[in-house]
């Protein structure tokens, strides 16, 4: 097979010319932006995925077209490496250069990647592509596929799937189906079989009731949950709201990000929902999940990624202890984790905990250092990874001990390749069922510190640089000192700022002993960002109003 790089060049110029003059950055989870500027980015990512597949000896590489929790006009692309991880960090720079060169330089840039990485372009390659349900996703999927074809690679299109499904397909194919069948049906089968075996016919237990309300964020997570329901034979009664079929924009006034950041239920919540009903929200590509409920006074309560992580970690530790096996367990968080959750993990669970920069790629890598690594972002994005040693030990002990048998089934239920909202939800349901817990039992394990996030618009968010897992701001000079002075005024105060990697904003996080203090702290730090980091746009609104969120 010979590759004519002229083909790449001609394709790009004729079909996918580069229309944006601005430099495009590789963000927290790949490239993201307004959909109308992304055609050339997608074509080039198809080219890159093909090169990466050849570089990795023909292993399958995944390309997911989605802008996750972003608003509907945005789109984006996430690349999946052979073991289901996000694209290796060293290739992020290669990807960035490739999307930013002009159409005229493209041929030369592709040749450079081939030469620098010693890629044999005559070998075979395989790229799996999936997309969310944004209306511009099919157009962008075609651009990715054309990029693959331009380099004579093989492309398999999965159509509309969740991000974690695509990760699963990649790993299933690369493990020659040891992980499961690389099909949609294979994915449902694997999860549902494990879930039903774990229920073992006991649908309700203690305070646990067998029904939930599921907010699908008008995204692909809604459609796929409807598929789960069809196949689950009533083992869990799920009512899907924000289905996104015909009405409703993706993530608008609903979904995991809205619920977490606004700290309120989706706007379209049915009025007749009984107090203490378990509700879940997933995000636009269904890799995040948060739980919430409203109490009998109408007050909203959130059970976010930190809660999910602590619930899972505690349960896994119980099972490991009962199984009398010695494994290294650890939990990974980011600076956004609620301080109370970290205290609970360290003081009560006595679990080693570490803090890494935002972005699942960082958490995933850290979690791999443990035999059982639990990682979750506060926003509900996370999973659990098991080392080969853990799997082998558990399988052996499972021959004689029930607790280890349960662990083995949990491994099948968990999508280890990346955070998976549906798999995570089924896992939480399993644990609550086994413990006989309702949401009140769950939330009483510790009290969250009130917390708040603000988005501050600045001229160039890259003027902010951070260190120490983003908890300390080193640029612009003086900002951290002023933040420290403000934080010192508040009991249990903690605050940090960082540039978002998915939106053109600076994020401010604050927590403190009371809600009022938290709102004031966030506001004061927001003002500092505006003052010292080139704030633009309207002035921040004083606390006790959500207008500035
Ligand atoms: C505070 C927050 O929730 N940040 C999110 C958000 O990243 P930012 O870089 O903060 O925009 O999107 C990422 C991708 O989904 C996710 O990994 C991350 O946790
Ligand atoms: Mg997402």
């Amino acid at each position: 097979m010979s590759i004519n790089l002229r083909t790449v060049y001609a394709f790009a110029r004729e079909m996918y010319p580069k229309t944006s003059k601005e430099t495009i950055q590789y963000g927290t989870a790949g490239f993201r932006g307004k959909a109308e500027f992304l055609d050339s980015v997608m074509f080039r990512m198809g080219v890159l995925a093909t090169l990466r597949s050849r570089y990795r000896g023909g292993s399958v590489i995944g390309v997911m077209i989605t802008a996750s929790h972003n608003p509907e006009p945005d789109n984006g692309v996430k690349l999946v490496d052979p073991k289901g991880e996000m694209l290796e960090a060293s290739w992020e720079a290669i990807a960035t250069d490739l999307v930013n060169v002009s159409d005229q330089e493209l041929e030369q840039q592709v040749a450079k990647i081939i030469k620098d990485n010693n890629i044999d372009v005559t070998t075979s390659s395989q790229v799996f592509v999936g997309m969310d349900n944004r209306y511009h996703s099919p157009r962008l999927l075609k651009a990715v596929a054309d990029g693959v074809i331009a380099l004579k690679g093989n492309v398999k299109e999965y159509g509309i799937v969740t991000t974690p499904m695509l990760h699963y397909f990649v790993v299933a194919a690369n493990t020659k189906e040891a992980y499961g069948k690389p099909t949609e049906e294979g994915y449902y089968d694997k999860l549902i079989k494990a879930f039903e075996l774990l229920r073992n016919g006991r649908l309700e237990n203690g305070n646990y009731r067998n029904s939930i309300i599921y907010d699908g964020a008008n995204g692909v997570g809604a459609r796929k949950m409807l598929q789960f329901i069809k196949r689950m034979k009533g083992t869990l009664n799920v009512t899907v709201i924000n289905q996104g079929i015909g009405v409703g924009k993706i993530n608008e006034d609903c979904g995991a990000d809205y619920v977490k950041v606004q700290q309120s239920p989706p706007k379209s919540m049915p009025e007749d929902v009984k107090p203490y009903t378990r509700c879940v929200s997933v995000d636009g590509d269904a890799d995040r999940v948060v739980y919430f409920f409203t109490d009998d006074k109408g007050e909203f309560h959130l059970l976010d990624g930190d809660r999910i992580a602590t619930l899972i970690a505690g349960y896994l530790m119980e099972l490991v202890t009962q199984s009398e096996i010695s494994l290294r367990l650890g939990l990974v968080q980011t600076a956004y984790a609620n301080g109370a959750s970290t205290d609970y993990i360290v003081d009560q669970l006595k679990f080693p905990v570490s803090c890494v920069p935002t972005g699942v790629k960082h958490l995933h890598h850290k979690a791999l250092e443990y035999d059982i690594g639990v990682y979750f972002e506060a926003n509900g994005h996370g999973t659990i990874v098991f080392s080969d040693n853990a799997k082998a030990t558990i399988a052996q002990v499972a021959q004689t001990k029930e607790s280890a048998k349960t662990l083995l089934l949990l491994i099948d239920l968990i999508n280890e390749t990346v955070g998976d909202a549906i798999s995570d939800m089924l896992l939480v349901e399993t644990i609550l069922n086994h413990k006989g817990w309702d949401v009140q039992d769950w939330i009483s394990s510790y009290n969250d510190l009130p917390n708040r996030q603000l988005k501050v618009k600045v001229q160039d968010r890259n003027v902010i640089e951070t260190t120490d897992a983003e908890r300390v701001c080193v640029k612009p000079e003086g900002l951290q000192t002023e933040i420290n002075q403000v934080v010192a005024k508040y009991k249990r105060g903690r605050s940090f700022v960082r540039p978002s990697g998915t939106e053109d904003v600076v994020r401010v996080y604050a927590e403190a002993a009371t809600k009022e203090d938290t709102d004031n702290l966030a506001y004061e730090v927001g003002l500092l960002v505006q003052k010292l980091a080139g704030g633009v746009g309207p002035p921040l609104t004083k606390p006790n109003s959500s207008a500035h969120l």
Side-chain angles (χ1 to χ4, degrees):
M1 176 173 50
S2 72
I3 304 276
N4 181 353
L5 292 182
R6 297 256 141 197
T7 321
V8 182
Y9 176 54
F11 238 132
R13 194 187 43 201
E14 296 303 324
M15 308 245 319
Y16 303 108
K18 187 166 175 286
T19 50
S20 168
K21 300 257 173 311
E22 281 173 35
T23 307
I24 305 170
Q25 287 182 8
Y26 196 97
T28 312
F31 299 106
R32 224 175 263 194
K34 292 273 168 284
E36 61 262 36
F37 299 114
L38 289 177
D39 296 68
S40 73
V41 172
M42 295 293 171
F43 175 80
R44 292 167 187 211
M45 284 306 97
V47 167
L48 188 82
T50 306
L51 293 174
R52 177 101 182 129
S53 171
R54 292 196 170 114
Y55 177 74
R56 295 295 304 261
S59 293
V60 176
I61 297 291
V63 181
M64 180 71 195
I65 294 144
T66 180
S68 183
H69 62 282
N70 286 39
E72 188 175 71
D74 289 2
N75 215 318
V77 56
K78 299 178 177 179
L79 274 91
V80 184
D81 255 358
K83 284 187 183 162
E85 290 145 301
M86 303 251 187
L87 179 69
E88 186 190 302
S90 64
W91 273 59
E92 289 181 5
I94 299 176
T96 310
D97 289 344
L98 187 63
V99 302
N100 282 300
V101 293
S102 68
D103 291 334
Q104 287 68 29
E105 293 162 324
L106 183 61
E107 181 182 352
Q108 208 184 347
Q109 190 66 24
V110 172
K112 182 173 180 318
I113 298 172
I114 293 170
K115 183 161 170 284
D116 288 354
N117 296 282
N118 219 350
I119 296 168
D120 181 353
V121 287
T122 62
T123 56
S124 74
S125 65
Q126 178 88 338
V127 176
F128 287 180
V129 196
M131 61 179 173
D132 69 15
N133 63 326
R134 284 174 163 81
Y135 62 87
H136 28 74
S137 290
R139 186 189 89 222
L140 298 175
L141 183 134
K142 182 167 182 305
V144 171
D146 279 348
V148 177
I149 292 162
L151 282 197
K152 297 196 176 153
N154 294 301
V155 60
K156 182 164 179 182
E157 296 176 17
Y158 278 90
I160 297 179
V161 289
T162 68
T163 295
M165 284 169 82
L166 187 77
H167 282 250
Y168 163 89
F169 299 145
V170 167
V171 175
N174 284 331
T175 57
K176 308 262 174 303
E177 302 196 7
Y179 193 66
K181 278 205 173 8
T183 61
E184 225 178 295
E185 225 39 71
Y187 171 80
Y188 298 135
D189 277 357
K190 182 175 176 188
L191 265 56
I192 293 174
K193 192 166 163 233
F195 180 69
E196 293 187 340
L197 285 170
L198 282 157
R199 295 233 135 182
N200 199 15
R202 191 175 61 175
L203 303 187
E204 304 212 324
N205 177 34
N207 294 332
Y208 178 83
R209 292 290 159 267
N210 192 32
S211 13
I212 54 166
I213 294 188
Y214 176 100
D215 158 23
N218 293 322
V220 52
R223 298 172 187 224
K224 299 306 168 189
M225 181 43 74
L226 294 170
Q227 295 301 320
F228 267 92
I229 295 169
K230 271 193 203 160
R231 291 164 177 78
M232 269 200 307
K233 305 184 215 87
T235 37
L236 184 64
N237 298 319
V238 189
T239 306
V240 182
I241 62 166
N242 301 315
Q243 297 192 359
I245 299 168
V247 284
K249 288 191 176 159
I250 192 164
N251 301 319
E252 192 171 87
D253 298 330
C254 62
D257 198 62
Y258 176 86
V259 170
K260 165 81 179 152
V261 177
Q262 301 295 333
Q263 305 192 11
S264 69
K267 279 199 180 149
S268 53
M269 198 68 190
E271 303 237 316
D272 57 351
V273 175
K274 291 206 181 77
Y276 302 108
T277 300
R278 254 186 352 273
C279 304
V280 297
S281 277
V282 306
D283 74 334
D285 62 339
D287 53 9
R288 288 189 199 176
V289 61
V290 294
Y291 275 71
F292 62 92
F293 68 94
T294 309
D295 65 21
D296 49 8
K297 295 185 201 73
E299 203 178 312
F300 170 84
H301 298 268
L302 179 71
L303 294 139
D304 62 5
D306 303 335
R307 291 277 176 184
I308 295 174
T310 48
L311 179 79
I312 295 172
Y315 185 62
L316 291 177
M317 193 148 77
E318 274 171 35
L319 290 175
V320 167
T321 311
Q322 282 165 22
S323 306
E324 295 174 310
I325 42 187
S326 143
L327 293 172
R328 287 170 38 258
L329 279 74
L331 200 146
V332 189
Q333 300 187 311
T334 72
Y336 289 99
N338 196 283
S341 77
T342 316
D343 290 350
Y344 173 73
I345 296 159
V346 175
D347 302 338
Q348 306 288 319
L349 296 181
K350 309 223 181 291
F351 228 78
V353 56
S354 37
C355 182
V356 300
T358 303
V360 168
K361 57 190 175 198
H362 301 295
L363 289 104
H364 192 94
H365 281 119
K366 184 73 193 171
L368 290 174
E369 292 177 11
Y370 301 101
D371 279 320
I372 301 182
V374 180
Y375 72 84
F376 269 86
E377 296 190 304
N379 60 34
H381 197 172
T383 189
I384 303 98
V385 286
F386 297 84
S387 69
D388 289 343
N389 169 42
K391 284 181 182 162
T393 315
I394 293 166
Q396 203 192 0
V397 181
Q399 291 170 7
T400 52
K401 286 204 165 78
E402 275 307 309
S403 49
K405 249 186 231 166
T406 305
L407 272 172
L408 255 195
L409 286 174
L410 289 176
I411 295 174
D412 268 348
L413 181 60
I414 291 164
N415 186 344
E416 278 185 86
T417 64
V418 76
D420 181 331
I422 296 179
S423 153
D424 287 339
M425 182 196 94
L426 294 176
L427 175 62
V428 169
E429 292 299 313
T430 300
I431 299 173
L432 295 178
N433 175 306
H434 284 187
K435 284 179 172 285
W437 276 10
D438 67 4
V439 281
Q440 281 171 286
D441 299 308
W442 183 11
I443 210 158
S444 65
S445 45
Y446 63 88
N447 289 322
D448 264 327
L449 285 169
N451 60 92
R452 188 156 183 90
Q453 282 187 45
L454 300 184
K455 295 178 189 179
V456 180
K457 287 221 178 281
V458 296
Q459 195 140 36
D460 174 11
R461 68 192 197 273
N462 293 315
V463 298
I464 299 216
E465 287 176 27
T466 62
T467 184
D468 190 17
E470 302 174 325
R471 290 171 291 192
V472 175
C473 173
V474 286
K475 273 192 187 154
E477 229 161 274
L479 179 55
Q480 187 61 47
T481 317
E482 295 215 24
I483 292 176
N484 292 347
Q485 283 163 4
V486 171
V487 168
K489 295 194 301 188
Y490 294 96
K491 194 172 157 217
R492 298 217 63 184
R494 185 169 75 90
S495 180
F496 65 92
V497 302
R498 56 174 280 279
S500 161
T502 59
E503 295 171 66
D504 191 10
V505 295
V506 173
R507 292 194 198 280
V508 173
Y509 176 87
E511 66 184 32
T514 66
K515 187 172 175 308
E516 201 189 342
D517 278 2
T518 305
D519 289 347
N520 286 326
L521 175 56
Y523 174 67
E524 286 198 57
V525 174
L527 288 182
L528 289 177
V529 171
Q530 285 197 322
K531 185 177 85 176
L532 295 170
V536 292
L540 283 183
T541 320
K542 281 226 175 220
N544 301 327
S545 153
S546 57
H548 55 301
L549 275 179

